[in-house]
Amino acid sequence: MKKLFVVDGNSIINRAYYGVRPLLTKSGKYTNAIFGMINIISKQMDAVRPDYAAVAFDLKPPTFRHEMYEHYKAQREETPEDIRASVPIIKDILRAYRIPILEVAGYEA
């Protein structure tokens, strides 16, 4: 039987950002989301040993849920700039690992 490993990238990035102590480069850029995300994925890939893997990311709203309920996620705070700045770097690392990135307009990860 083949194993498929799909990760909600946005969820793991948030978990890593808030769950890993702040890590900074010499220039003051936060890297805890990057370090945490890659560490979590690496450990899970080693544990699961999937035949296929991918990481899904949200695109900018609206999604079908926003269309169903206009106040969907309206109470959420704005994503911190440190997280937004980490996403392109994380995607570059995933590409280097040859892990496909899934993004579909109108849908969440």
Side-chain angles (χ1 to χ4, degrees):
M1 177 184 286
K2 300 283 185 182
K3 293 181 194 173
L4 173 63
F5 179 70
V6 181
V7 175
D8 178 339
N10 295 83
S11 175
I12 300 299
I13 289 171
N14 276 294
R15 182 177 173 187
Y17 179 78
Y18 292 107
V20 174
R21 68 179 171 79
L23 301 171
L24 295 146
T25 65
K26 287 182 182 180
S27 63
K29 292 183 182 179
Y30 283 88
T31 60
N32 44 309
I34 299 164
F35 173 80
M37 169 81 165
I38 300 307
N39 196 22
I40 289 167
I41 288 178
S42 294
K43 284 183 178 181
Q44 289 301 308
M45 294 281 283
D46 287 345
V48 174
R49 307 296 250 164
D51 297 292
Y52 307 99
V55 177
F57 288 94
D58 298 344
L59 293 174
K60 293 200 183 285
T63 68
F64 71 93
R65 290 182 179 168
H66 292 94
E67 292 170 6
M68 290 172 60
Y69 179 64
E70 69 177 289
H71 301 293
Y72 179 65
K73 292 189 178 181
Q75 75 285 0
R76 288 220 177 150
E77 293 182 24
E78 186 71 24
T79 303
E81 179 55 36
D82 298 329
I83 291 177
R84 285 197 305 268
S86 298
V87 173
I89 297 166
I90 290 168
K91 287 180 180 179
D92 285 344
I93 294 168
L94 292 170
R95 287 184 195 100
Y97 278 119
R98 292 193 167 104
I99 297 174
I101 295 167
L102 306 174
E103 298 174 309
V104 178
Y107 292 88
E108 295 180 50

